[in-house]
Amino acid sequence: MHPCRKLNDKVLNYFFDSPVRASMQQKKEKYQTSSSQKQKRNIPDGKGPQTREKRTENRPGDLKERSSARKSSGPEKRPDLSFPKKKTSPRFEYEDDYIFWCRKCNLPLIGEECGICGSKGEIIHLSQPADVRFCSPYEREVLAEQLISAFGCDPLGNRLVLLNKVPGEDKTDEVIVDSFIFGVLRFELSEMDYSFEPSLQGAKILIKCAEGRKVELKKTNRHLNGKNVPPELIDSFAGNIKAGDFVLVTAGSLSGYGVSYIDGADFADTKRLAKPEAQSRISAQSEIGVQPELISRSESESSPENGAKVLRVRKVDSSEACLHPEVPDLRACIEANRKHLQVLGKNAINTIRGIVSRNEYRDLPVYVSFSGGKDSLVVLDLAKSALKQRELKAFFLNTGIEFPETVEFARSFCREMKVPLEEMSSGSAFWEQVEKFGPPAKDFRWCCKVCKLASAGDLETGKGTCSRPEKEAANAVAYLTIDGKRKHESFSRARIAASETNPFVPTQLNIFPIRDWRALEVWLYIHWRGLSYNPLYDLGLERVGCWLCPSALAAEYARVKELHPEMHARWNAFLLEWAKKHGLSEKFVEHGFWRWKELPPKMLRLAEELGISVLAEEKAEDFEIEVVGGISPCKAGGFSVEAGIRGIREKEAADFINVLGKTVYAEELGMLLVKTGTGTVKFFSNGNLLVSSETKEKAVCLFKEAAKQFVRLSRCTGCGICEKACPVGAVSIKEGKPYVSETCIRCGKCMESCVVTRYFDKLVPGLDEKLKV
């Protein structure tokens, strides 16, 4: 029977006169960390994590402070910009934000005791999120290039180098060598290139062998740290220095580093103008009435009286720094950590066995979510060791925008491991939907649901094997998936538990056996076990997911251009055409602004610095919803909201809008009526929408719910996620559009799983302003 019956007087009376019970509730979860739930590590007495103030010692300068001097010799301060601040919850703080270091063997340790010499390691604190890793061959090349081009030397040689990602504009890593932070390697979005900032210790080591970027100051009793230095205090200034460069600074027994405000080639003129006779000439010209604009611009601006700036000292002191005499290799590092790796592996295997062997899961299929990345690689090896008596399969979600190296590796590694691989491909789904949704963004990741979750639901092979009642089996776990997600990957993943059901695929239970591991532990395990891994890691990519993912760093996207120019050219052509349609420049695309729907403050500042407009032109689309007059009181009581909708026919909506409430469609009257628990929704054939409720708040809420469904209908990709999420089978996809039958229980699960409703605020921005709330 069709969900929409013909409208008659009795039906109208029923809908408008019968009592209604509201059943809308919102659940909020508040994460509370108790001491018993926190990650516990073997920390020796008296060596616990130090205060945050102590951790910042010997680190490079403030990461938030940028050298705008790279563009001019003016101050480093940026203008005070008033950008809207987002409401954010307190950021998660990791307890295990440190590793150990064996001073004797000069090796990083993931546990307290060194497996080579038996001595206890020293605690080395890391910046959050503390996901420290080995420097890849490509990253080591980049680091060497930066050191040689800037300072004319690379003192690190063949030493083990660790990188620890820290917050920044883009790819930003602390460089850790011999247990201390040597400096920070970052990718500058303004220049679309790398730069290196030494730490205090790093600068002291570089000074011993550097051939350039040196500045020698006169011996002085002044306090220099954080201070600007006038020309008269400088003895020598290297000619290869450019404005904005980090420079090596010495002053008598003091040494360290700073930032230059000028080019080295201009230093002689700057110092000349700073001499007493030059100052006297400028003062004399002013006294006899020479207009300021007639005085030499360079003289006026460079004069110490007018705030001449040549150099800003970041940090100098009289301490000594040197590299460790021991230069161990990766094999020694593995040996030093062997016992810790054995414990990590055993704990992960026990996690897998403990969950998989529960009575309710014993007969269910077990899969490993294998992406071709390092984490899923480790999980597959662990699962194979843990489940020798249980059938195990790997599944690979091929989104259609994977790196070719990743696809080939996923297939070849499973063959090597003799693990059956089920590859589910989204084909051309991304390219078919990108015209409709536009580029995916960090805050608008529609691609994940369209290209991943839609295929993930196809694994429900064990659903029919359970002897449970039909209604219970509809939401019961049908299969287990062992997944490589880790809490240190991002703050959004910081609270993952040992196992969780997938909210978008409710019949899937995910198990996370390495959720507490850092990247360093993952890589040590891979090398210890001698596992082959995706070659893209050695080529400079930290993540090997979809090659055009907006969550990837601009540094990695630049690397894609070098590795796969044809793939980069296709996506770049689309972005340029999209930008042109929306009145945005090529620079908008070049500097990666397309990766956000709503730009964060750091990108707004960058746009202002580069003079790039980020305001897109509004374009009329096939579908449009326009609020008329906001919220109005009704003569009969209550409140109503009126709007015009273009691009949706009432017959099309009638097959779907049943998800909101009981629906009646009167084709001869050109009206669709929906009666919900909080009010009524009327949609007319001319495109008018009228939403009514007893209070202003309820009217707004109901209007937004109705608007979501119309947007959902217009933007439907036909991915089928909602169909799989429905516990009663009321949702189906017909000719690429969703259809909701009368059996709908209005639980909201199809809406929770839909990519359109999830990003409703991005697709229909400014709705509250239009509603005048």
Side-chain angles (χ1 to χ4, degrees):
M1 181 179 178
H2 195 278
C4 301
R5 301 182 297 275
K6 292 293 180 179
L7 192 66
N8 54 46
D9 292 338
K10 290 184 179 179
V11 174
L12 280 174
N13 290 335
Y14 168 77
F15 275 118
F16 284 104
D17 297 333
S18 62
V20 179
R21 292 179 296 176
S23 63
M24 298 179 65
Q25 293 182 340
Q26 292 183 336
K27 296 181 179 179
K28 295 183 179 180
E29 295 182 359
K30 187 176 181 181
Y31 179 80
Q32 296 179 341
T33 305
S34 65
S35 58
S36 61
Q37 293 173 324
K38 291 181 180 178
Q39 171 75 14
K40 292 184 179 179
R41 297 212 173 224
N42 295 324
I43 305 176
D45 292 338
K47 291 188 179 181
Q50 301 172 7
T51 63
R52 194 161 301 281
E53 289 76 11
K54 289 184 179 179
R55 296 181 199 180
T56 56
E57 292 179 5
N58 298 324
R59 286 189 177 167
D62 186 358
L63 293 174
K64 293 181 181 178
E65 183 181 347
R66 294 286 180 232
S67 55
S68 57
R70 63 178 173 242
K71 295 217 169 229
S72 69
S73 59
E76 287 186 84
K77 261 191 175 179
R78 282 186 171 150
D80 184 20
L81 303 175
S82 300
F83 296 117
K85 293 184 179 180
K86 294 182 181 179
K87 293 181 180 179
T88 56
S89 55
R91 194 175 71 178
F92 183 89
E93 293 288 334
Y94 294 92
E95 293 291 313
D96 50 347
D97 57 349
Y98 58 90
I99 57 173
F100 297 91
W101 202 283
C102 177
R103 288 289 192 180
K104 182 178 180 180
C105 301
N106 192 28
L107 286 167
L109 304 174
I110 57 177
E112 182 184 356
E113 185 177 305
C114 176
I116 295 177
C117 68
S119 61
K120 290 185 177 181
E122 176 184 333
I123 289 178
I124 306 299
H125 289 285
L126 304 168
S127 298
Q128 302 266 352
D131 198 26
V132 64
R133 68 188 188 279
F134 287 114
C135 182
S136 72
Y138 175 79
E139 290 167 322
R140 184 64 186 89
E141 289 178 11
V142 170
L143 177 59
E145 288 173 4
Q146 289 299 313
L147 291 173
I148 292 171
S149 64
F151 308 108
C153 66
D154 177 10
L156 303 184
N158 295 324
R159 293 174 184 274
L160 283 175
V161 177
L162 303 184
L163 297 180
N164 181 44
K165 64 180 178 182
V166 293
E169 272 187 355
D170 197 66
K171 182 177 173 64
T172 309
D173 292 296
E174 290 174 334
V175 179
I176 302 172
V177 182
D178 293 3
S179 80
F180 66 89
I181 296 172
F182 184 73
V184 172
L185 182 66
R186 61 169 64 91
F187 189 82
E188 302 282 1
L189 288 179
S190 58
E191 306 295 333
M192 295 302 287
D193 198 3
Y194 285 93
S195 69
F196 177 77
E197 175 186 358
S199 67
L200 178 62
Q201 286 176 284
K204 290 176 181 293
I205 290 168
L206 285 167
I207 284 172
K208 298 174 183 178
C209 61
E211 297 176 1
R213 287 201 190 177
K214 285 185 175 182
V215 176
E216 186 177 351
L217 307 182
K218 297 179 186 296
K219 191 173 180 180
T220 177
N221 292 325
R222 293 187 185 183
H223 177 69
L224 295 175
N225 288 329
K227 301 298 183 181
N228 293 321
V229 178
E232 60 268 22
L233 282 185
I234 297 175
D235 269 343
S236 65
F237 199 92
N240 69 334
I241 294 173
K242 299 294 181 184
D245 281 351
F246 293 106
V247 297
L248 307 175
V249 178
T250 57
S253 63
L254 305 178
S255 60
Y257 76 109
V259 180
S260 173
Y261 287 111
I262 65 170
D263 291 347
D266 298 331
F267 175 70
D269 291 338
T270 304
K271 190 167 186 178
R272 176 180 57 81
L273 292 170
K275 289 181 179 179
E277 58 266 30
Q279 296 177 29
S280 300
R281 185 173 70 255
I282 294 173
S283 299
Q285 287 175 324
S286 300
E287 287 175 4
I288 62 175
V290 178
Q291 295 299 316
E293 60 268 20
L294 299 179
I295 301 175
S296 166
R297 178 180 176 86
S298 60
E299 290 184 344
S300 177
E301 292 183 347
S302 299
S303 169
E305 296 174 351
N306 292 288
K309 295 180 180 179
V310 176
L311 170 75
R312 181 181 181 183
V313 175
R314 281 285 179 83
K315 193 168 187 180
V316 292
D317 65 21
S318 59
S319 65
E320 295 291 330
C322 61
L323 294 170
H324 200 287
E326 294 291 331
V327 186
D329 58 12
L330 180 59
R331 285 180 295 179
C333 191
I334 294 169
E335 189 59 34
N337 288 282
R338 183 182 296 274
K339 291 181 181 178
H340 308 304
L341 290 169
Q342 289 171 341
V343 173
L344 276 177
K346 184 179 179 181
N347 290 341
I349 287 172
N350 288 339
T351 297
I352 295 171
R353 286 176 178 168
I355 297 174
V356 169
S357 61
R358 291 177 185 171
N359 289 335
E360 63 268 36
Y361 304 143
R362 282 182 178 177
D363 299 324
L364 298 183
V366 182
Y367 294 89
V368 171
S369 177
F370 189 56
S371 66
K374 67 182 189 304
D375 302 322
S376 60
L377 167 65
V378 168
V379 163
L380 182 55
D381 185 67
L382 289 167
K384 196 169 184 295
S385 300
L387 306 176
K388 293 179 179 178
Q389 307 302 319
R390 186 83 172 261
E391 183 181 4
L392 177 71
K393 293 182 180 180
F395 75 85
F396 172 50
L397 293 178
N398 188 341
T399 60
I401 45 176
E402 303 286 339
F403 283 99
E405 292 91 341
T406 299
V407 177
E408 175 56 32
F409 173 73
R411 295 168 181 170
S412 63
F413 185 78
C414 287
R415 285 196 302 267
E416 177 187 331
M417 296 286 284
K418 297 180 180 178
V419 175
L421 175 67
E422 290 192 16
E423 181 177 335
M424 282 145 288
S425 177
S426 298
S428 59
F430 175 84
W431 298 105
E432 291 169 359
Q433 301 301 333
V434 71
E435 291 287 350
K436 181 183 294 186
F437 286 105
K442 291 175 183 284
D443 51 349
F444 183 48
R445 295 176 63 176
W446 59 264
C447 48
C448 289
K449 290 190 176 182
V450 170
C451 300
K452 288 186 177 181
L453 293 174
S455 298
D458 296 335
L459 279 177
E460 300 182 45
T461 53
K463 197 168 184 177
T465 63
C466 303
S467 57
R468 298 186 179 100
E470 187 177 346
K471 286 186 178 180
E472 182 183 344
N475 281 322
V477 172
Y479 62 101
L480 309 178
T481 300
I482 305 173
D483 194 291
K485 284 187 178 69
R486 299 182 296 108
K487 68 180 186 181
H488 285 277
E489 290 180 280
S490 64
F491 294 110
S492 62
R493 291 184 175 181
R495 297 177 176 88
I496 55 175
S499 62
E500 297 175 352
T501 54
N502 189 328
F504 302 112
V505 187
T507 55
Q508 179 189 62
L509 178 72
N510 291 320
I511 303 169
F512 306 108
I514 65 168
R515 67 191 184 282
D516 293 324
W517 292 27
R518 270 87 55 98
L520 178 62
E521 291 158 331
V522 170
W523 280 114
L524 279 170
Y525 182 92
I526 289 171
H527 293 304
W528 172 51
R529 295 281 291 166
L531 303 176
S532 56
Y533 56 88
N534 194 318
L536 290 171
Y537 287 114
D538 286 347
L539 297 175
L541 297 179
E542 190 181 340
R543 61 184 305 281
V544 293
C546 302
W547 60 268
L548 50 69
C549 180
S551 293
L553 299 166
E556 294 177 309
Y557 188 57
R559 188 66 175 139
V560 173
K561 185 177 181 179
E562 299 172 354
L563 296 174
H564 292 287
E566 71 292 342
M567 290 167 21
H568 181 277
R570 180 183 183 183
W571 181 233
N572 205 55
F574 169 81
L575 289 175
L576 290 174
E577 183 62 28
W578 171 83
K580 184 178 179 181
K581 288 179 181 177
H582 291 81
L584 299 167
S585 67
E586 292 185 10
K587 292 289 185 182
F588 182 93
V589 173
E590 179 187 346
H591 292 275
F593 291 94
W594 61 268
R595 294 179 296 145
W596 287 267
K597 267 280 189 183
E598 184 179 348
L599 291 169
K602 67 176 183 180
M603 297 305 292
L604 291 171
R605 285 191 291 269
L606 179 65
E608 183 173 47
E609 179 184 324
L610 299 178
I612 297 174
S613 172
V614 296
L615 298 176
E617 294 178 2
E618 293 294 333
K619 296 290 181 180
E621 301 182 16
D622 294 336
F623 172 80
E624 189 176 8
I625 181 167
E626 187 64 36
V627 179
V628 180
I631 310 162
S632 305
C634 299
K635 291 181 179 180
F639 293 83
S640 65
V641 182
E642 292 185 64
I645 293 182
R646 187 169 65 86
I648 295 288
R649 295 172 299 171
E650 77 276 10
K651 175 65 173 68
E652 190 179 17
D655 291 335
F656 175 72
I657 207 69
N658 191 48
V659 71
L660 282 179
K662 292 187 176 181
T663 306
V664 177
Y665 174 44
E667 187 173 1
E668 68 277 9
L669 298 178
M671 185 179 78
L672 177 65
L673 172 68
V674 185
K675 186 73 172 179
T676 75
T678 57
T680 60
V681 177
K682 296 177 184 178
F683 182 50
F684 300 90
S685 57
N686 62 0
N688 288 345
L689 177 68
L690 177 64
V691 176
S692 303
S693 189
E694 57 186 9
T695 68
K696 182 182 293 187
E697 291 74 19
K698 288 181 179 180
V700 169
C701 183
L702 182 56
F703 178 81
K704 286 185 176 180
E705 287 303 312
K708 279 185 182 180
Q709 302 317 312
F710 282 109
V711 174
R712 182 181 168 195
L713 182 60
S714 70
R715 297 266 188 166
C716 180
T717 67
C719 67
I721 297 176
C722 58
E723 189 176 12
K724 298 180 180 76
C726 181
V728 296
V731 183
S732 58
I733 302 296
K734 295 182 178 180
E735 298 180 355
K737 292 293 182 181
Y739 175 92
V740 180
S741 72
E742 277 190 321
T743 58
C744 174
I745 59 175
R746 300 176 187 93
C747 62
K749 289 188 176 180
C750 66
M751 290 183 271
E752 292 171 4
S753 65
C754 180
V755 63
V756 176
T757 53
R758 180 181 177 85
Y759 294 112
F760 173 75
D761 292 337
K762 306 292 182 185
L763 295 169
V764 188
L767 189 58
D768 283 342
E769 288 81 356
K770 294 177 181 178
L771 289 169
K772 299 179 181 179
V773 297

